Amino acid sequence: MQTYRLAIIGFGNVGQGFTQILRDEGADLAQQSGVRFQIVAVSDLLKGSVHDPKGIDPAALLDSIAATTRLDRVTAPDRAWNALETIERSRADIVIELSYTDLKTGEPAITHLRRALELGRHVVTTNKGPIALKYPELKALAEKHGVEIGAEGTVMSGTPSLRLAQELLSAARIRKIQGIVNGTTNYILAQMEAGVPYADALQDAQVKGYAEADPTGDVEGFDAAGKVVIMANLLMGQALTLADVDRQGITQLTPADMAEAKAAGERWKLIGRVETIGEQLTASVKPTRLPSSHPLASVSGATNAITFSTDLLGDVTLVGPGAGRIETGYAIVGDLLAIHRKRKK
Amino acid sequence: MQTYRLAIIGFGNVGQGFTQILRDEGADLAQQSGVRFQIVAVSDLLKGSVHDPKGIDPAALLDSIAATTRLDRVTAPDRAWNALETIERSRADIVIELSYTDLKTGEPAITHLRRALELGRHVVTTNKGPIALKYPELKALAEKHGVEIGAEGTVMSGTPSLRLAQELLSAARIRKIQGIVNGTTNYILAQMEAGVPYADALQDAQVKGYAEADPTGDVEGFDAAGKVVIMANLLMGQALTLADVDRQGITQLTPADMAEAKAAGERWKLIGRVETIGEQLTASVKPTRLPSSHPLASVSGATNAITFSTDLLGDVTLVGPGAGRIETGYAIVGDLLAIHRKRKK
């Protein structure tokens, strides 16, 4: 059985969700796919670090966090490793980068991914920052060193949207991608359809934990724009940047707009879109009125959905979770299995 | 560049759609995927046969059919080959079985597939008969001879539903599959929702070419049941048969039933379902009332959709075409590329 050693950078919700899957499903995965994933190092800015070349029990990691919110309890490492030391010294086959998302600078994730790729490690990340900002550079670096980049979790969490497009739809030629890729705004819009004004709907989303204290990233469409750029780069082979996205958020919409759409048999959705027109790729994030028969119109709450318009198959729509600790953890599992499939050739 | 030689058995709509894709997209496919597919033989019960080990131009095949409805015009073969001779003598790497569907006996397709597998040929088919009736036996034969079976087109035409489930969702553990997998009944139900009685809606579907003269296979749920059995066998690892499916068609539904559902905010859909409960797999095809918020409720017309309920990701729904000459032809392309991916290892 092939074993891959993993180093995890950042041990928040996603890292813990992934570790929980390894704890609960690792044996099944090994049986089903003939592959074993072994955590050899974890480093988190706040929670400390731990490393052991013989492998670390996923249950011990989760127990340590539950008991003390820190990782150090698992073993007594000779010395704590920071993120870069973990990447450089852990001898992991695959580095899983899960540090915090910064869509402006992409750091520190870009530095982590660069270093890992330079050292010939495969990388997996659910972090939109580096993929939205530096994918072409990172991809070139990965190719130079003969390793893979897995980024399934950057769009629609663990719902395999990127891989569906890359592996199963690309031969049908994707011309246009339209999606609801931000659950927070989709939740707020549903509230507004029920007559709640924007400010109250936002507050409700904040109370429920769907929206952050500073909601700008979601409600002004930055998060969706990041995902649009990722889809343009990974699926349409274009080097777009965030500045290329014609972006508009949902803050100007009113319950009256909602009512007007409803009367016309339509619904407002925040739609991220990439489209090839001639040789030109255009990208946007905009509130859009969709007829209620459109497959994206009925997608509600935190669920996400993407419609791929193709030459040979027409429209194919994927609907699934867009967030969640285990769901996003599953994105990592999917990326790891894809690396294994490519490597066993 | 790797070249695969193809023998096509049956040259109706799907075979011609596939050949059209090869004619129009073959060069792109070669560039994109580094693989060339070359037709070396075609045999059709009514249209004659043609073979040439040096390869047959897809355009010539289509032109011959357009001009004379027969294949013989392409070259003057020494002697016409029937289906079995084509399988045995063409030296094809892959046999594409597209003869007519018979859900009762599975013949002649079962005989064709058995022979091809025994000779160590990969097989690709869009024919539900043999896959619904004999998949476990055919799969064992394929494994014995170290070759692959591609059957993506048996469910949702070219929409990659089987491969999404097998390759991208299986590690999330699929517990339940529910789908609208028959476009004809979905079209009739939509008409009935608009107040048209069943008999008139059926007649309309027949006039439009969606339903056959004998509509039993569609309206009594046999076609959907065949697809349910295929999903159970390919995706849930169970050897179900058609007799195991609790099957009920749409012929008993009335416009009054439709109106009643609508008043309750629901819609009638013919739902095929496979579900693991404990160690037991249950399978059914039944008219089902779905709340209009359900992702399957808004699927209209000839569009198909399947919801996969998984342990780790919750519900993931795929919506796409369920029929069409090019769409089903694309299913074959997908299967061929999958064989290539597995083989180049």
Side-chain angles (χ1 to χ4, degrees):
Chain A
M1 175 150 344
Q2 180 146 12
T3 298
Y4 294 88
R5 286 160 305 177
L6 313 177
I8 302 178
I9 308 301
F11 204 66
N13 268 327
V14 176
Q16 292 174 43
F18 167 68
T19 302
Q20 194 176 325
I21 297 177
L22 276 197
R23 180 192 69 189
D24 300 342
E25 319 281 342
D28 269 17
L29 269 177
Q31 207 194 349
Q32 214 184 77
S33 310
V35 58
R36 211 161 69 99
F37 299 107
Q38 181 179 55
I39 299 171
V40 295
V42 184
S43 178
D44 184 279
L45 212 51
L46 302 172
K47 301 185 183 78
S49 82
V50 55
H51 52 271
D52 184 339
K54 297 188 302 294
I56 305 167
D57 178 16
L61 288 170
L62 295 168
D63 291 347
S64 174
I65 291 290
T68 68
T69 78
R70 293 192 56 84
L71 290 162
D72 330 66
R73 203 177 113 126
V74 177
T75 61
D78 48 345
R79 194 173 69 72
W81 286 348
N82 66 22
L84 278 177
E85 288 170 319
T86 301
I87 292 165
E88 287 161 0
R89 302 177 58 180
S90 64
R91 311 176 71 91
D93 304 299
I94 304 174
V95 171
I96 302 178
E97 213 294 332
L98 308 172
S99 70
Y100 56 92
T101 294
D102 182 329
L103 267 178
K104 290 209 182 72
T105 69
E107 293 294 358
I110 292 172
T111 300
H112 297 162
L113 293 176
R114 273 199 197 115
R115 193 74 194 110
L117 293 170
E118 283 163 5
L119 291 168
R121 311 311 193 213
H122 303 291
V123 300
V124 169
T125 187
T126 62
N127 191 328
K128 285 180 299 295
I131 305 299
L133 297 172
K134 292 288 176 191
Y135 183 73
E137 178 204 319
L138 295 170
K139 180 70 183 163
L141 201 53
E143 280 171 4
K144 181 176 164 194
H145 293 276
V147 290
E148 306 289 334
I149 300 178
E152 184 62 74
T154 58
V155 179
M156 278 184 88
S157 76
T159 311
S161 56
L162 300 179
R163 197 157 283 119
L164 171 74
Q166 287 176 313
E167 295 183 9
L168 306 181
L169 297 178
S170 66
R173 264 209 316 267
I174 298 170
R175 290 293 181 193
K176 181 167 73 172
I177 304 174
Q178 282 182 280
I180 296 170
V181 290
N182 179 274
T184 308
T185 47
N186 205 45
Y187 176 83
I188 293 174
L189 289 176
Q191 297 295 101
M192 290 174 71
E193 282 181 334
V196 181
Y198 169 73
D200 296 347
L202 170 60
Q203 203 182 3
D204 173 52
Q206 287 170 322
V207 168
K208 290 210 164 77
Y210 298 156
E212 293 171 54
D214 176 359
T216 315
D218 290 322
V219 300
E220 296 292 0
F222 290 103
D223 173 77
K227 291 164 179 167
V228 161
V229 169
I230 290 171
M231 292 193 285
N233 282 277
L234 272 73
L235 308 182
M236 316 278 277
Q238 298 276 340
L240 282 201
T241 69
L242 279 169
D244 298 319
V245 181
D246 182 6
R247 179 189 46 74
Q248 186 188 328
I250 62 164
T251 56
Q252 304 304 315
L253 289 175
T254 63
D257 293 327
M258 299 288 149
E260 199 182 298
K262 192 177 177 183
E266 299 186 339
R267 298 186 75 177
W268 282 102
K269 293 291 178 189
L270 184 66
I271 299 295
R273 170 201 288 251
V274 204
E275 185 168 10
T276 314
I277 301 171
E279 295 295 296
Q280 202 66 32
L281 199 74
T282 67
S284 63
V285 171
K286 280 189 180 171
T288 306
R289 267 170 69 162
L290 298 177
S292 42
S293 60
H294 192 288
L296 297 179
S298 54
V299 172
S300 55
T303 302
N304 281 193
I306 297 175
T307 299
F308 301 96
S309 299
T310 69
D311 281 350
L312 300 183
L313 271 183
D315 285 0
V316 174
T317 300
L318 185 68
V319 185
R325 150 195 176 103
I326 295 294
E327 291 84 346
T328 312
Y330 181 74
I332 300 170
V333 173
D335 282 341
L336 294 177
L337 291 173
I339 289 170
H340 174 58
R341 278 199 301 269
K342 286 199 179 165
R343 288 296 134 172
K344 72 175 177 183
K345 276 168 197 170
Chain B
M1 175 147 344
Q2 180 145 13
T3 298
Y4 294 87
R5 284 160 306 177
L6 312 178
I8 301 178
I9 308 301
F11 205 66
N13 268 326
V14 176
Q16 293 174 43
F18 167 68
T19 302
Q20 195 175 326
I21 297 176
L22 276 198
R23 180 191 70 190
D24 300 342
E25 318 282 341
D28 270 17
L29 269 178
Q31 207 193 347
Q32 215 184 78
S33 309
V35 59
R36 210 161 69 98
F37 299 107
Q38 182 179 55
I39 298 171
V40 295
V42 184
S43 179
D44 184 280
L45 211 51
L46 302 172
K47 301 183 183 79
S49 81
V50 56
H51 53 270
D52 185 341
K54 297 188 301 295
I56 305 168
D57 178 16
L61 288 169
L62 295 168
D63 291 347
S64 174
I65 291 290
T68 67
T69 76
R70 292 192 55 85
L71 290 163
D72 329 64
R73 205 177 112 125
V74 177
T75 62
D78 49 343
R79 193 172 71 70
W81 286 348
N82 66 22
L84 278 177
E85 287 170 318
T86 302
I87 292 164
E88 287 162 0
R89 302 178 57 181
S90 64
R91 309 177 72 91
D93 304 300
I94 303 174
V95 171
I96 302 178
E97 213 294 331
L98 307 172
S99 70
Y100 55 93
T101 294
D102 183 328
L103 267 178
K104 291 212 182 71
T105 69
E107 292 295 359
I110 291 172
T111 300
H112 297 161
L113 293 176
R114 271 200 198 116
R115 192 74 194 112
L117 293 170
E118 282 163 4
L119 291 168
R121 313 309 193 212
H122 303 292
V123 300
V124 169
T125 188
T126 63
N127 192 329
K128 286 180 298 297
I131 305 300
L133 297 172
K134 292 287 176 192
Y135 183 73
E137 178 203 320
L138 295 170
K139 181 71 183 162
L141 201 54
E143 279 172 5
K144 181 176 165 195
H145 293 276
V147 290
E148 306 290 333
I149 300 177
E152 184 62 74
T154 58
V155 179
M156 278 184 88
S157 77
T159 310
S161 56
L162 300 179
R163 198 158 284 119
L164 172 74
Q166 287 176 312
E167 296 183 8
L168 305 182
L169 296 178
S170 66
R173 264 209 315 267
I174 298 170
R175 291 292 181 193
K176 183 167 72 172
I177 304 174
Q178 293 184 93
I180 296 171
V181 290
N182 179 275
T184 308
T185 47
N186 206 44
Y187 175 82
I188 293 174
L189 290 176
Q191 297 296 102
M192 290 175 70
E193 282 182 333
V196 181
Y198 168 73
D200 297 347
L202 170 60
Q203 202 181 4
D204 173 53
Q206 286 171 322
V207 168
K208 290 209 165 76
Y210 297 156
E212 292 171 55
D214 176 359
T216 315
D218 289 323
V219 300
E220 295 293 0
F222 289 103
D223 173 77
K227 290 164 179 168
V228 161
V229 168
I230 290 171
M231 292 194 286
N233 283 280
L234 272 72
L235 308 182
M236 316 279 277
Q238 298 276 340
L240 282 201
T241 69
L242 279 168
D244 298 319
V245 181
D246 182 7
R247 179 189 46 75
Q248 186 188 329
I250 62 164
T251 57
Q252 304 304 314
L253 289 176
T254 64
D257 293 326
M258 298 288 149
E260 196 182 299
K262 192 177 177 183
E266 299 187 339
R267 299 186 75 176
W268 282 101
K269 293 290 179 191
L270 184 66
I271 298 295
R273 170 201 288 251
V274 204
E275 184 168 9
T276 314
I277 300 171
E279 294 295 294
Q280 201 67 30
L281 200 74
T282 67
S284 64
V285 171
K286 280 189 179 171
T288 306
R289 267 171 68 163
L290 299 177
S292 42
S293 60
H294 193 286
L296 297 179
S298 55
V299 173
S300 54
T303 302
N304 282 192
I306 297 175
T307 299
F308 301 96
S309 299
T310 69
D311 280 350
L312 299 183
L313 271 182
D315 285 1
V316 174
T317 300
L318 185 69
V319 186
R325 150 193 176 105
I326 295 294
E327 290 83 348
T328 312
Y330 182 74
I332 300 170
V333 174
D335 281 340
L336 293 176
L337 291 174
I339 289 171
H340 173 59
R341 279 199 301 270
K342 287 200 180 165
R343 288 297 134 171
K344 72 177 176 185
K345 277 167 198 171

